[in-house]
Each structure stands twice: as structure tokens, then as C-alpha cells.
Amino acid sequence: MAEGDIKQGAAGGLDEVESDEDFQTPAFVSGKQLKEMDKDDPSLDGMKKELMGDKFTDQPCKVTLKKMTLKSLTDGVIREVDLTNILTQKLPTIAIKEGIEYEIEFQFVVENDLVHGLKYSHVVKRKGVKVAKETHMLGSYKPDPDDTIVVKIPEMEMPSGKLGIYRGHYSVSSQFVDDDKNVYLKWDWSFDLGKNW
């Protein structure tokens, strides 16, 4: 994990991804450009420095995902997945108990420039058939390579049913993307849903 201050955030979620074809993303303005605007207004300039910080570079925005944590709110079990080497290592399958209420927490770092409208989305499949598709807005963040940001996705519930009909192996395709359609990370992982942990 990256050292540094940890910030807490909350993210809202949607059960289904809704089309955003009618939404027009504003033209991209870098953090450096924003800071240069209104320099002749000392109060506005001071407010921008306080809100945006001073860690901007001439490089494009970089979001580095550090960890994904699944926390059972039902029985306190925690499953952590280290994502720092996600591009070079296959993730182990996570065992999850059916019927639990849980939340997912992400830890990440933003560098170089502002990230606007960061979202986490995933598609869950069982035996090749899509069973869930979700997108969760995580927010917009200023760059600070020394600051680990922690964001929680609100409480959800794992399925359960008579005769264990939901038990089995599930595959998940996940991604972090922003309002400008920049994909910061795509990864695949899986979980086995069972009667017990």
C-alpha cells in the first residue's frame, strides 16, 4: 500500500448502467489551465489553490489502483485483493458466502492532473451468461501522489436461494473510467459463491 494520508469518500451506485448518450461532457480543461484562469482575482486564486492543491505536472492524469476490499457487513469477514501488479499477475478466485450484505472499497492514487467523474463498472457472468451489470460513480479528485484515496461503494447483497441455485463460479470484468472515456484500468477476476466462506 502507498503511504500517506488516507481520504474517505462515498460512492453512489446504479443497479443497471443507463445510457448517457444525451449527456455532453464539457470540453477538457487541465488542472494547470484551471489554475491559470482568474489569477488576477486573489480570493478566487486562493480558493483554487486550497481546493486543487499544487501537485500538477505536464503529464496526463494517472490513476493507480492499489487495493480492492470486499467487506461482509453480515459477519465481518474481509477479503482483500492487492491490485498493484494486476497487469502481470492473475488474481486468485475469491470465496464468498451467499446471502451476505457487503460493501466494496477501493484504494487508489491520482497523479499529474485532475480526474473528472471517475467511475467503477463491472459485468458479472455465470457460465458465460451476463447476470449483472453495474456502474458506480466514485467522484472527481485532485492529483497527489502521496495521498491514498479510499472510496466505498454502498451496501449490496449477494444472492441466495433455495437449493443453492445461485452457488457456483462467477467471472467479473471490471474497469475504472472517467467522464472523458479514459480507461485507467481494466481487469478480470472471479469469485465462487457458496454456502460458507
Side-chain angles (χ1 to χ4, degrees), residues 50-166:
E50 185 177 325
L51 290 174
M52 296 171 55
D54 60 355
K55 307 283 177 129
F56 293 94
T57 70
D58 291 326
Q59 301 298 314
C61 181
K62 178 180 175 185
V63 177
T64 305
L65 196 56
K66 302 286 193 177
K67 187 189 330 185
M68 177 177 74
T69 305
L70 185 141
K71 296 181 178 183
S72 170
L73 304 174
T74 304
D75 54 17
V77 174
I78 295 175
R79 296 284 187 250
E80 292 184 342
V81 180
D82 181 0
L83 298 174
T84 54
N85 297 315
I86 189 76
L87 300 177
T88 58
Q89 294 178 348
K90 184 176 179 181
L91 294 176
T93 298
I94 302 171
I96 302 175
K97 183 179 177 181
E98 66 182 346
I100 63 163
E101 292 182 2
Y102 70 98
E103 65 185 13
I104 297 177
E105 177 183 284
F106 291 104
Q107 293 187 17
F108 57 92
V109 174
V110 177
E111 298 178 69
N112 303 328
D113 205 345
L114 298 169
V115 60
H116 302 278
L118 186 64
K119 299 179 201 85
Y120 165 72
S121 63
H122 67 230
V123 174
V124 181
K125 293 183 179 179
R126 182 173 182 205
K127 298 180 182 177
V129 177
K130 182 171 71 172
V131 295
K133 183 177 180 180
E134 297 179 348
T135 297
H136 299 274
M137 177 58 75
L138 303 179
S140 298
Y141 301 93
K142 66 183 177 184
D144 188 343
D146 303 318
D147 192 17
T148 299
I149 299 165
V150 178
V151 178
K152 293 179 184 178
I153 293 174
E155 181 179 318
M156 297 176 277
E157 185 175 346
M158 281 291 173
S160 65
K162 292 183 180 179
L163 306 175
I165 61 171
Y166 293 104

